Amino acid sequence: MFSHDERPYDWVGAWSEKRAGLSPDAVGLVDATTGQRYTYAELDRRANRTARLLRSEGVGRGDRVAVLSRNRPELVDLFFATGKTGGILAPLSHRLAAGELVEMLNDVEPSLLVVEEPFADLAADVLDREGREFDCPVRSLPADDSDADTSASASQATARCSPWTDALPDDDSPVEAADVSMDDPHLFLHTGGSTGVPKETVVTHGSILWNSFNTITAWGLRPEDVTPMVFPMFHTGGWNVLTVPLFHLGATVVLAREFEPREVLHLVESEGATVLVAVPAVLRMMANHDDWADTDLSTLRFAKSGGGPCRESVMEAWWSRDVDLSQGYGLTECGPNNFTMPDGWPTEKADSVGVPAMHVDARIADEDGGELPPGEIGELELASPHAADRYWRNEQETETTFGDGWVSTGDLARKDDDGYVYIEGRKKNMYVSGGENVYPAAVEDRIADHPKVEEVVVVPVSNDQWGQVGKAVVQGDESLTLEELTDFLDGKLARFKRPRHLAFVAEMPMSGPSKIDRQAVKAEFGEE
């Protein structure tokens, strides 16, 4: 693991203060839900008020603030305020079950829990759980959009919390900052939890800063950039993909409680968005929306896809609108931004995630940790000063993932002779058919080209002759037959890769921000 610097500096954590001093009148944040626009000077004053609130609640250096909320300005206030006070912001997914949240909160041991009103019932369930061990004050954020839950039960649950606005002091003058070093934690960001309760990843001030450097230099971000932030802020994408790098430059981030394709298209046009990063499903839904053809996308310098493979048809839809769309790659444990496309990259490299960014090393490793030559598939390992520090209170998993200075991603990949990296899928999803390794992601890419397929997941099932074969689980037109699909794949996939079974779902289960829950699909349709 990389060592940053244990010496406290005044600038560490002083994000809003420093930016307000440099560009006080620049708009740093737009709340698309309420229409409010905040300059960096206003954001720093809000952060000072929030820092005073945290200290009045007894939240000091190293203490955790847990949040259950959709994207809203108060989360930005808490990020800036914990930077000033040395606290740690721990946003939690409101999509998790109460039982999972209890375990996570017991682990985090927050000194303060902040709950947005629509999740008051969920919070009440958490607080009433028999296994709850944590004990802290709870503050409620009022809903400020018409779609929020205003039921009697939600109001009753909210009444168990103290209102955020009642505790927020009027004094917005500068606060005394804590002594904070680059090695101190600033964010706890949890993993997806596909193999159990999500792990909390400890992200230091240094990790956040280096990820920002890598993103700015790799993607050519500018102070005049504007982006709609479509990742949830309980996800590393909500902070480290574009939000913090753009704050670093004095650029503009647009938030909303809920994002749907039409609104993102509208905001690209109305706000003159210059950069956009989203998961493939969101990019596909935007391209398939009725407003797609009439939306002015001319201000977009580039778009990035992350969080899974982007289908060729989606990329071509964006290219047809003269938007430079390419794929990115990242993970909570090593920052979401690790690769970039070189200037003038050829479209035949579009299936890749590019080459390592300025301050990232990447290698393809075999089972013994040795580096593989170009063309061979192995586990992708990354090394960068933007890597996370560890998993919180989980030494065994920390050693497995971070133990030798390389972050083990769990993803299979290969490099070509030009250094471009291609993701072949999760290591745990690979199966063996007739002695041949099959990587579902590569199979899914070809199946997704069929016009009757909207989305697809391939899972292994037992077979007496070949050991395992693939089953294609498809969301799309159920008139598709296995024979029709097999004919379509002739010449596109080797015979051993073609699925021997076909099943349909009305809608794919999701485990995160528009991210397919592969484990749920495998549990229902696959076999070990």
Side-chain angles (χ1 to χ4, degrees):
M1 286 180 288
F2 282 86
S3 177
H4 296 296
D5 193 337
E6 295 181 358
R7 174 185 167 187
Y9 294 94
D10 291 343
W11 53 264
V12 177
W15 286 97
S16 61
E17 176 186 350
K18 287 291 188 179
R19 181 40 63 191
L22 293 169
S23 47
D25 298 326
V27 174
L29 187 69
V30 177
D31 185 349
T33 298
T34 64
Q36 292 290 314
R37 309 176 80 84
Y38 302 96
T39 66
Y40 279 102
E42 290 169 328
L43 289 173
D44 189 50
R45 291 195 292 270
R46 289 173 62 94
N48 290 333
R49 296 177 68 195
T50 303
R52 287 187 167 85
L53 185 156
L54 295 182
R55 284 178 170 156
S56 71
E57 296 282 11
V59 181
R61 183 173 180 268
D63 292 333
R64 277 79 66 191
V65 180
V67 185
L68 274 173
S69 175
R70 298 169 297 171
N71 292 3
R72 54 186 295 153
E74 287 83 357
L75 270 80
V76 174
D77 299 339
L78 283 165
F79 175 81
F80 288 146
T82 48
K84 291 172 181 282
T85 62
I88 301 167
L89 179 59
L92 302 173
S93 171
H94 47 75
R95 297 170 180 152
L96 295 171
E100 294 172 305
L101 288 169
V102 167
E103 290 189 52
M104 295 174 68
L105 286 163
N106 285 343
D107 190 38
V108 169
E109 287 188 300
S111 296
L112 177 66
L113 173 61
V114 182
V115 179
E116 191 186 18
E117 187 174 308
F119 312 110
D121 281 342
L122 177 60
D125 194 357
V126 168
L127 295 171
D128 289 339
R129 288 269 162 166
E130 187 176 339
R132 177 170 73 90
E133 298 171 2
F134 73 95
D135 184 26
C136 67
V138 183
R139 291 283 174 185
S140 65
L141 290 169
D144 48 15
D145 58 306
S146 58
D147 295 329
D149 184 0
T150 55
S151 65
S153 62
S155 298
Q156 186 177 11
T158 304
R160 299 178 57 180
C161 312
S162 301
W164 173 268
T165 50
D166 288 357
L168 201 61
D170 293 329
D171 188 356
D172 61 9
S173 62
V175 297
E176 182 179 355
D179 288 336
V180 181
S181 79
M182 295 270 277
D183 284 340
D184 285 323
H186 190 185
L187 288 171
F188 279 7
L189 296 173
H190 58 73
T191 62
S194 59
T195 58
V197 175
K199 300 182 289 290
E200 291 289 353
T201 308
V202 179
V203 184
T204 66
H205 287 269
S207 298
I208 296 168
L209 186 66
W210 274 103
N211 179 80
S212 182
F213 285 146
N214 266 332
T215 307
I216 291 167
T217 55
W219 295 356
L221 299 183
R222 306 169 183 174
E224 61 269 23
D225 277 331
V226 178
T227 192
M229 178 44 57
V230 299
F231 291 100
M233 299 184 96
F234 57 74
H235 187 276
T236 184
W239 295 103
N240 291 320
V241 166
L242 282 175
T243 300
V244 175
L246 290 184
F247 286 161
H248 204 166
L249 288 167
T252 305
V253 175
V254 184
L255 297 181
R257 306 301 169 272
E258 306 287 351
F259 267 132
E260 52 87 26
R262 182 179 182 277
E263 184 176 12
V264 182
L265 287 168
H266 167 72
L267 288 172
V268 168
E269 181 171 297
S270 64
E271 295 291 340
T274 57
V275 294
L276 174 68
V277 184
V279 297
V282 170
L283 295 170
R284 174 174 56 82
M285 288 187 286
M286 291 173 70
N288 290 338
H289 196 275
D290 291 342
D291 292 349
W292 170 252
D294 295 327
T295 301
D296 183 1
L297 305 178
S298 62
T299 57
L300 282 174
R301 293 203 330 277
F302 68 84
K304 281 276 186 182
S305 170
C310 190
R311 308 303 185 201
E312 184 178 338
S313 59
V314 175
M315 301 191 76
E316 288 177 346
W318 284 81
W319 294 341
S320 72
R321 297 295 312 278
D322 295 323
V323 177
D324 179 12
L325 173 64
S326 60
Q327 300 191 78
Y329 174 87
L331 63 164
T332 307
E333 293 86 344
C334 198
N337 306 322
N338 292 279
F339 294 90
T340 186
M341 287 298 201
D343 294 344
W345 62 276
T347 55
E348 57 264 28
K349 305 285 191 181
D351 286 346
S352 79
V353 295
V355 300
M358 280 286 291
H359 308 291
V360 179
D361 286 337
R363 70 178 185 181
I364 311 300
D366 62 21
E367 292 291 339
D368 298 321
E371 187 166 5
L372 291 168
E376 293 197 25
I377 296 174
E379 183 173 4
L380 175 63
E381 296 186 334
L382 300 169
S384 171
H386 74 218
D389 187 58
R390 64 191 185 280
Y391 294 123
W392 177 247
R393 295 175 176 170
N394 194 329
E395 292 183 10
Q396 181 175 349
E397 291 288 347
T398 294
E399 180 63 27
T400 299
T401 301
F402 301 96
D404 63 353
W406 290 88
V407 175
S408 299
T409 68
D411 284 315
L412 293 166
R414 61 180 171 85
K415 278 186 181 181
D416 67 14
D417 291 332
D418 298 318
Y420 286 75
V421 172
Y422 297 76
I423 306 300
E424 299 291 344
R426 294 293 290 170
K427 189 176 180 180
K428 63 186 178 185
N429 293 332
M430 186 199 80
Y431 62 93
V432 179
S433 183
E436 298 282 357
N437 292 343
V438 180
Y439 305 100
V443 180
E444 291 158 4
D445 278 346
R446 299 283 72 82
I447 296 174
D449 291 337
H450 195 287
K452 292 184 179 180
V453 176
E454 295 176 15
E455 194 52 82
V456 59
V457 171
V458 172
V459 297
V461 295
S462 299
N463 180 272
D464 290 340
Q465 182 176 3
W466 305 112
Q468 289 181 310
V469 295
K471 177 187 284 188
V473 182
V474 169
Q475 174 185 319
D477 186 341
E478 296 190 18
S479 70
L480 177 67
T481 66
L482 182 61
E483 182 181 7
E484 181 183 355
L485 181 60
T486 301
D487 289 344
F488 176 78
L489 295 175
D490 187 27
K492 298 182 175 71
L493 281 176
R495 291 179 62 87
F496 70 87
K497 296 181 182 180
R498 299 176 205 168
R500 302 297 180 90
H501 302 275
L502 180 62
F504 290 92
V505 291
E507 190 172 348
M508 290 289 182
M510 297 301 201
S511 64
S514 301
K515 190 172 184 179
I516 293 174
D517 187 344
R518 299 186 65 96
Q519 295 306 110
V521 176
K522 187 175 182 180
E524 183 173 354
F525 294 98
E527 301 171 19
E528 294 296 335

